[in-house]
Amino acid sequence: MQTIHTSVKKILACGESMRDFLAQPYVSAGDIKGILRRHGFFLSDYEKEHSVPYMSRLILAPSEFEELVEKQRTKEDRTKVTSSEIAIVEGTDLRNILTAVQDPSELLDLNSRNIEIEHIEGPVFENDQRARYEFTLTRHEIKNNWHNQPQFQGKIEVELDKTTNVVTFRRIRTSAETGAVASAFIRKQKAQFRSLGIVADKTEREVTFGSFSNEQRAQFLFSLAESQPANGLEFDGIPDIDIAPDPKQKPFPENTSVDWMQANIKSAKLAGNIHETAFVRDDTLYKYLVYSSIQVTFKFSLRGAVGSLRVRYHFPAERGTGEIASTAELEIDIESLSTENRGDTKLAEIREYYLMVLDEKKRQLFAKTVANS
């Protein structure tokens, strides 16, 4: 989570400082349009290059400014989850092998000179099978706007399944920086397990891009979509996918509905009722296509709250190159959450609950994939 300026209610939202604030990407032209119309400004074009000058001349009410700040909170608070597993010796007590982080700076690489980890709290044990670590980091920038203090929060959950003697590490992040720190922590913790001689199986289970063939990857992603546990979830559809013809699998089979892709398309993002198309239903195509991302919609019912989720399962590309490394871990991101009736259940609680449900389903399906391969 990114920390918002603590004195928002004391700030006079107007002038050049307001212009800088509105330039941020989390404030959309539609957000500005609504406020301008309340103040009696009706423009023919509400794109930011036209609407921001009018907004900067207004003095916003505290409630209006908080409405815009909430747009930032919503964007930065959206958490993503990845997980990995390691098998340990039967009878190992989790309380004896998890330790506090004495020097958080050890989790930073040489390219993170502008990052400072303020504190890592943990391990905090919920019980003898489950613990968590939480931390806050600060990104120091040359230019730091008054409305945007770059602090981010991250969390690592550690869970021991005493039936299988498998430890699951869940990395829960809101930014690239928190994700990198959590990954470094997990690597160090696994190394410590090895030094203690408690690792039972050298094979670590991480759901990475390179874990699958083309066919296996497609089958796995679509199984995540359509084979969900009860937990109040119901599959609704696949509205978009990211795919690319695999140049190593030429030529495409003749007379297929997608053979046009081979010569003309390098990669594509397809939107619509994708789950009814050959890209999903025709498994003979999976060998020839690289599926890197799918978006899935679910209906949910949880503790009186009813609504829908839009979930992204994806293998993120590397920054700069745009290529997906074989080590890229599958991320689960609840991109949007809407409710028809929320009752007393908070949106953050719904989001966190279903992130854990979806990650657990991913873990179970991957274990079956490994067992059957």
Side-chain angles (χ1 to χ4, degrees), residues 52-162:
V52 167
Y54 288 93
M55 282 284 286
S56 64
R57 294 180 188 134
L58 297 177
I59 298 178
L60 299 187
S63 60
E64 291 175 317
F65 184 55
E66 287 180 9
E67 178 183 332
L68 293 175
V69 170
E70 184 61 27
K71 303 295 181 182
Q72 178 180 10
R73 267 193 204 99
T74 301
K75 290 277 179 85
E76 293 295 342
D77 280 358
R78 202 175 84 200
T79 53
K80 304 175 182 67
V81 62
T82 58
S83 61
S84 62
E85 300 176 349
I86 189 168
I88 61 174
V89 174
E90 184 177 359
T92 304
D93 189 337
L94 200 61
R95 294 179 186 272
N96 293 335
I97 60 175
L98 294 181
T99 58
V101 177
Q102 301 298 328
D103 184 4
S105 65
E106 292 183 355
L107 302 179
L108 299 173
D109 60 33
L110 294 176
N111 296 319
S112 303
R113 297 182 186 276
N114 65 328
I115 302 297
E116 178 185 359
I117 306 177
E118 295 191 356
H119 178 61
I120 296 183
E121 180 185 358
V124 176
F125 286 90
E126 296 181 17
N127 51 52
D128 62 351
Q129 294 180 246
R130 188 180 180 91
R132 71 178 186 276
Y133 293 79
E134 296 180 348
F135 61 92
T136 301
L137 61 81
T138 302
R139 183 176 63 217
H140 298 288
E141 298 176 339
I142 296 175
K143 181 180 179 182
N144 187 14
N145 295 324
W146 55 267
H147 53 77
N148 184 6
Q149 293 184 13
Q151 287 189 332
F152 302 91
Q153 293 178 346
K155 182 163 65 172
I156 302 117
E157 293 188 350
V158 189
E159 187 171 2
L160 171 62
D161 185 333
K162 290 189 175 181

Side-chain angles (χ1 to χ4, degrees), residues 18-19 21-24 27-39 41 43 46-56 58 60 67-68 71:
M18 174 56 66
R19 186 188 294 267
F21 178 79
L22 296 172
Q24 304 301 313
V27 179
S28 70
D31 300 327
I32 296 174
K33 177 181 177 180
I35 292 177
L36 281 175
R37 287 193 164 192
R38 283 181 229 153
H39 286 262
F41 288 86
L43 309 181
Y46 284 92
E47 289 302 315
K48 291 171 93 170
E49 61 185 89
H50 303 293
S51 60
V52 167
Y54 288 93
M55 282 284 286
S56 64
L58 297 177
L60 299 187
E67 178 183 332
L68 293 175
K71 303 295 181 182

Side-chain angles (χ1 to χ4, degrees), residues 251-318:
F252 271 32
E254 295 181 0
N255 302 318
T256 69
S257 57
V258 297
D259 55 7
W260 53 272
M261 294 185 69
Q262 183 173 357
N264 304 311
I265 304 297
K266 182 178 179 181
S267 63
K269 177 183 282 291
L270 304 178
N273 294 321
I274 304 299
H275 57 286
E276 299 297 339
T277 68
F279 294 106
V280 176
R281 297 303 175 199
D282 187 354
D283 58 9
T284 64
L285 300 177
Y286 294 170
K287 175 181 178 181
Y288 303 92
L289 297 171
V290 177
Y291 292 77
S292 58
S293 172
I294 67 169
Q295 188 186 72
V296 186
T297 54
F298 298 105
K299 295 178 181 178
F300 75 85
S301 176
L302 177 67
R303 298 193 292 268
V306 177
S308 62
L309 303 173
R310 191 175 291 263
V311 180
R312 174 77 58 184
Y313 298 95
H314 72 118
F315 297 96
E318 294 182 327

Side-chain angles (χ1 to χ4, degrees), residues 216 365-373:
Q216 289 172 331
L365 281 174
F366 188 61
K368 291 180 181 179
T369 300
V370 171
N372 295 331
S373 60

Side-chain angles (χ1 to χ4, degrees), residues 7-18:
S7 302
V8 161
K9 293 185 178 181
K10 300 178 182 178
I11 294 169
L12 188 62
C14 64
E16 286 303 309
S17 58
M18 174 56 66

